[in-house]
Each structure stands twice: as C-alpha cells, then as structure tokens.
Amino acid sequence: KLDSADRRVSTRLALFRAVKFNERNTDPLISAGVLSKKRHATGFEMDAAGRITPRWEVYGSYTWIWDAEIDKPADGQELYGQRPSLIPKHQGSLWSTYQINEKLRAGAGLTGRSKMTPNRNPGWYSEGYVTYDAMAEYEAIQDKLTLKANLVNLTNKFYADSLYANGHYVPGFGRTVLRQILREGQHERLAAVQHIDLLALLLRKAVGVPQGEDGHERATCYKGCQHQTYPSETAFDIGQ
C-alpha cells in the first residue's frame, strides 16, 4: 500500500496466487452440483483512490489474471489445463466525481472486462466490453435528505453478463435510470435506503437477440452462441 506525501491519494498493489480445492459448481447441462477438484489463478491487482483537488475525487481499479488453469478436472465435466469459466484475463473500472457546489455533486465512470468462457469451456467465448455510467446527487436538506440519480450503461451497450455451456447467455442491463431518496442516517448504505424508485428500467430479453430483429452486428460478438428468445422481465423489487 502506498500513500502520497500529502495523503490525498492512496494506492494498493498486490500479486496473488489462489488455489481452490473441491469448488462446488452447477453443471448447466444436467442441473447438478459437481466438484471441480483443483484449480489455480495467478495475477496482479491494483486500486487507487484520492482527491485531485478538494472538489474532484477519482477511483480506479484493475485486475490482470494472466494464468488460470484447471489442475484436476471434475470427472467427465472439465478438461485439464483449460481456463476456468467466467474468469476474464483483464477487468477494471474508473470512476470520478466532482462537487459542483455545496449541494450538487456529479460523476461518471466506466467498467470493462476482456473475453471469457462459460462453464465446461465448450470452445466459444463472449467478447470483452466497456460500459459507461453517470450519477448526480443533490443535498436537498443538509444532513437530512439527499436526492440521487444513477444512469447505468449510458450507451446502451449490448454485452453478455452470464454464460452457459449450452450456448445461451444472459445480457447485462441496458440503459437504466435509478432514482434514490436517502434520508438522515441512511447515506451511502444502499441496503438501508427507505425508498428506491426504479425509472425507465429497460431490461433486455433474458437470452439472445429478439426474434425478427437484425442482430448480426451484435451476434458476431459472441463466438458460437445460440440466440434464443425468452419472455422479458418487466420489474423487480429491492428490499432489506
């Protein structure tokens, strides 16, 4: 861990090697739990947070896992030497906020990761992606009431969030607006927020590109995937 001389910026660096034994996974083809016996991952991670000016804050993180392999596969389920599922080689995020005045704060950021494979590693993968987010926060009553809005996936990027060995995938959120009211004593504690109103929640189809839509450009981003349409979700609740 490194801190700047003026204590305005803090950086954490780490090299790691993780070994897992008998990790329990669900085989999506038979809907049964299997033990993966032994696998390892070796990499580097870093994060930095600080104030560029008294009003401008920045946070960033990055992880590089250059070596990840299955050392002892589950019987009949995985192959020796393959990269474990859902472990991208690169992933990171960058976020910045600016205090415009005493009551108003705004920010923006990005999150990205490189390609990854599903369970069983059938030979196809999802392409990497970058999404962009923004936020605005207004303190209506000092220390008592704050209004906050988040805009997720500004460019409406189409990407695979979860992958399955049978060729299906679940897309991540499309462009989404979240509005929150944070009352006294609840600031920055999402699980304890008294009211969350989800506006313009544009959830995509559960899997694939909708039938009848020209999805050629999007479909080529997912090597070997099948495109299957399921009923779309319309709403969900967040509670304690």
Side-chain angles (χ1 to χ4, degrees):
K1 183 177 179 180
L2 302 173
D3 294 321
S4 63
D6 57 7
R7 300 286 184 176
R8 290 169 59 181
V9 179
S10 178
T11 304
R12 184 180 63 88
L13 308 171
L15 289 171
F16 65 86
R17 179 178 175 86
V19 180
K20 287 188 175 182
F21 297 89
N22 297 322
E23 180 185 43
R24 186 176 181 84
N25 292 285
T26 298
D27 188 323
L29 299 186
I30 59 177
S31 297
V34 296
L35 299 180
S36 60
K37 293 192 176 178
K38 182 183 179 183
R39 61 183 62 194
H40 75 268
T42 305
F44 164 80
E45 64 179 0
M46 68 167 291
D47 59 58
R51 294 179 181 270
I52 306 302
T53 70
R55 292 177 177 265
W56 183 15
E57 295 181 327
V58 176
Y59 171 80
S61 66
Y62 170 69
T63 302
W64 174 27
I65 303 178
W66 62 79
D67 175 42
E69 290 186 3
I70 296 171
D71 302 305
K72 293 182 180 179
D75 296 334
Q77 310 299 326
E78 302 171 312
L79 295 179
Y80 170 79
Q82 285 186 333
R83 190 176 184 89
S85 62
L86 305 180
I87 299 182
K89 191 171 184 178
H90 303 279
Q91 58 184 327
S93 64
L94 179 65
W95 188 262
S96 178
T97 62
Y98 188 79
Q99 191 74 39
I100 299 172
N101 54 43
E102 292 183 357
K103 291 183 173 293
L104 182 62
R105 185 168 69 111
L110 59 87
T111 300
R113 72 183 183 201
S114 58
K115 66 183 182 181
M116 62 182 186
T117 61
N119 199 12
R120 284 177 174 256
N121 203 340
W124 59 268
Y125 57 88
S126 68
E127 292 286 0
Y129 67 85
V130 176
T131 59
Y132 302 90
D133 306 319
M135 62 79 69
E137 183 179 274
Y138 181 75
E139 190 176 38
I141 303 175
Q142 186 175 7
D143 298 328
K144 290 186 177 181
L145 181 65
T146 301
L147 307 178
K148 187 174 182 180
N150 291 78
L151 183 55
V152 180
N153 196 356
L154 281 165
T155 61
N156 208 27
K157 175 71 174 179
F158 189 81
Y159 64 96
D161 187 52
S162 298
L163 305 171
Y164 299 90
N166 57 10
H168 295 160
Y169 61 91
V170 177
F173 280 107
R175 188 182 295 115
T176 305
V177 178
L178 307 178
R179 186 179 66 188
Q180 304 170 19
I181 299 176
L182 304 170
R183 303 185 188 279
E184 182 178 8
Q186 308 292 339
H187 291 254
E188 304 301 333
R189 291 164 51 191
L190 184 59
V193 170
Q194 295 182 7
H195 174 73
I196 299 180
D197 182 16
L198 304 182
L199 298 178
L201 188 58
L202 306 178
L203 295 181
R204 294 187 176 276
K205 300 292 185 181
V207 177
V209 176
Q211 293 177 353
E213 178 179 324
D214 180 9
H216 175 72
E217 182 177 352
R218 290 173 175 177
T220 56
C221 293
Y222 304 95
K223 309 302 183 183
C225 292
Q226 299 176 15
H227 301 288
Q228 181 171 341
T229 302
Y230 288 80
S232 60
E233 298 179 53
T234 57
F236 63 85
D237 296 323
I238 297 178
Q240 290 182 263

